[in-house]
Amino acid sequence: MRPPVSDADLSQCEREPIHLLGGIQPHGVLLAFSEPDLTLRVVSANSEALLGRPPEALLDRPLGEVLHSSSLVLLTRALSQPATGALRLEAAGRFFTGVPHRSDGLVVLELEPTGEGTREEEALGMVDLLLSPLARAHGPLGLLQAAAEAVRALTSFDRVMVYRFDADWHGEVVAESRDEAMDSFQGMHFPASDIPAQARALYTRHTLRLIADARAAPVPLRPAVLPSLERPLDLSGAALRSVSPVHLEYLANMGVGASMSISLVREGRLWGLIACHHRTPLVVPAATRRACDVLARLVSLQLASEERASVSSELARRAHLQTQLVERLSEQAATLPVALAAQAELLLGLTGAGGVALLLGQTPVLVGHTPSAHDVDELATWLDGQHFEGTFQTERLGQLHPPAAEYTDVASGLLAVRLDEASPRFILWFRPEVARTVTWAGNPRKPVVPGPGASRLHPRASFDAWKETVRGAGTPWTPVDVAAAMGFRSALVGVLLRHAAALARSNAELDAFSGTVAHDLKEPLRGIQQYVGFLLEDHGEELGEEGRKQLEEVRWLAGRTQGQMDALFEYSRAGRVELAWGSVDMQELVDEVLLTVSARLQENQLEVRVPRRLPRVECDGVRIQQVWANLLTNAAKYHPSSGPRWVELGFHGPGEPLSHPARRRPDAYVFYVKDNGIGIAGRFHEDIFEMFRRLHPAHAYGGGSGAGLAIARRLVRLHGGELWVESAPGQGSTFFFTLGERPR
């Protein structure tokens, strides 16, 4: 009894030189001769049984001593043509089907006795009769079932099954015709290791393979090794090529005495196999094999045609969904995120997803069943670091991005398209985990059995149904899904561009209006403050303490409103400014800012740290000086009443680690202002950049208009960069900003 073992190292099977086994099957004879002298250089050891002369009597002799003169003429004429098919040749007083090909500088001629089997005309006639059932078959599965029945009728094999490969080269039996005494494999799966890579390559190049007697000993070649190459003759193109011992053991374990495989090749790629099994040895005549090969090619063509028609129909359906979606989005230009969420059915139907997240540079828009906004942001950051063109898709997200293992119920599958190469803006479609049971034809793991000096690989001995539950995977994305995603990306970019143009016009008008209002209200507010001052000076004693207190409040409110008007005017002006790009020494610029705000820094007892000299960059120095000033002033305000206070100014250079690398281009600097102040809760990280948005009472922390961060972000974005914050209550805040490239 074999000892239990762990998973085998299947690379041994992958490396097996199945084209250099140095032997052939005994139902034919092999001759290899040189050109142009037609001298025999290799002969199979069974030549005496089939040709009447042993190998020793044939080696280094002319081919004309074996073939009849008319057959020799026929063969030499065929060899002068670009392609050579099967030939009817006479040798040693009998007829053979001869198939020549070239290998290792020799012509390899395989000869099989024609016997009294089906002639080629009869076999091709049978194919013609079977075309009608194929034409009547409904759908791809119906076509494959008809093909299995047709091949069995042609060949008399006990069992014929159609075996389809998946993307990982595992196989599934999708059609079967069999004798009732044979086990059924319908619906069962076979692991990729059953047909290793080098075998699949041969199946693609040579589309039919017969093993007439799985129990017969291989016939060696004479000589066993080519003297010029010091290895056996390459039999990759030989139909009579002997069989790998591993595969023979595999067939024996299945109780198979003869087998034949016919390749189904689509657009140069192996799609599947028609696999034939017989309990006893069975020699299928060459003419019948050729008819089966023709039948398989016809099936491949019809299958490709049906699948193309199905794909075309599905593409048309998805295109109609996209047209509806784009039309509805275009009608709601001002509320695109809301419009996207409202069109959930169309958005999800576009790719057959369960949920979708749209990262358009703001808070993610989540539709359907998706991970949380935090998880989506984290996923986008990871995805931005992956190198892919067009789309990224996987049905096992948790294996690639470990945090996703926690939300497989909504996002085992991911299909992503990038909207912007310079920032983490994506459309992410999700599919949930689909737990499914796969029935294998036996345990797919191959055991290793200890042997002398090494371990030898053996195929599994049992093909009884062995069930496995597959988890952590979603339904695979199809080429149609991917095409629909790419199509919607292009359409959405068009919608966004139209929205951006409309929004730019609207913002320009709003900025002009805001500037006018702010300017026109300055004088009235200044007048209010002056009149309040006059009243307090002339009538303060008469008003009493409460009256004076109320007037002081009025004066403070007027002053605060004037500050807001000044900020509004500055904000609107920032939206219309033309940047004066130039090469700026950022260290010198920051030194000037520190000098300007030094009084505020001293008042707040704030230590300033600059760990290293800041670099020279391209920007508008005046505008970026204002950004540094706003960030420094902000850092000086929000500190607890006791304890040391400090602020650090610095940068991360290209390639240096950063907690959110998705926020910048790989070659960009990231500047920062970091403090040990009171900190900001995560839910407010975007709110603080809104105009006049304050998280504390107006009198707290030295007041202020609440516009500084909004103005700073606007100036940074004018440069093509981004400004954001990382912070938590009690842990201080770090404001980061990047700068875009100077326009060319």
Side-chain angles (χ1 to χ4, degrees), residues 394-400 404-405 407-409 411-413 431-436 469-475:
T394 177
E395 61 191 84
R396 296 178 178 272
L397 180 59
Q399 290 186 2
L400 304 177
Y407 46 81
T408 56
D409 57 324
S412 283
R431 280 179 177 170
E433 174 189 53
V434 179
R436 61 186 186 276
T469 300
V470 179
R471 301 195 64 91
T475 305

Side-chain angles (χ1 to χ4, degrees), residues 334-460:
T335 56
L336 184 59
V338 175
L340 284 165
Q343 302 305 323
E345 184 176 350
L346 290 174
L347 195 55
L348 297 175
L350 205 60
T351 62
V356 62
L358 298 108
L359 294 98
L360 307 176
Q362 303 166 347
T363 302
V365 178
L366 305 180
V367 178
H369 302 291
T370 70
S372 68
H374 171 76
D375 289 332
V376 168
D377 277 332
E378 187 180 60
L379 176 59
T381 299
W382 171 80
L383 195 60
D384 196 50
Q386 308 304 303
H387 299 288
F388 64 92
E389 294 183 5
T391 62
F392 176 96
Q393 69 257 18
T394 177
E395 61 191 84
R396 296 178 178 272
L397 180 59
Q399 290 186 2
L400 304 177
H401 179 56
E406 300 299 320
Y407 46 81
T408 56
D409 57 324
V410 293
S412 283
L414 169 68
L415 171 58
V417 294
R418 186 188 291 275
L419 296 174
D420 186 350
E421 292 297 330
S423 62
R425 299 185 179 185
F426 301 96
I427 309 173
L428 309 177
W429 279 277
F430 301 107
R431 280 179 177 170
E433 174 189 53
V434 179
R436 61 186 186 276
T437 299
V438 176
T439 302
W440 297 93
N443 188 330
R445 295 177 178 83
K446 290 187 175 184
V448 172
V449 178
S455 293
R456 178 171 180 263
L457 206 65
H458 287 267
R460 58 189 183 278

Side-chain angles (χ1 to χ4, degrees), residues 1 52 89 174 215 222 257 268 287 313 345 353 355 360 498 602 730 736:
M1 181 177 179
L89 303 176
V174 294
R215 302 177 182 89
R222 300 286 187 265
S313 174
E345 184 176 350
L360 307 176
R498 291 194 296 274
Q602 291 174 11
F736 298 90

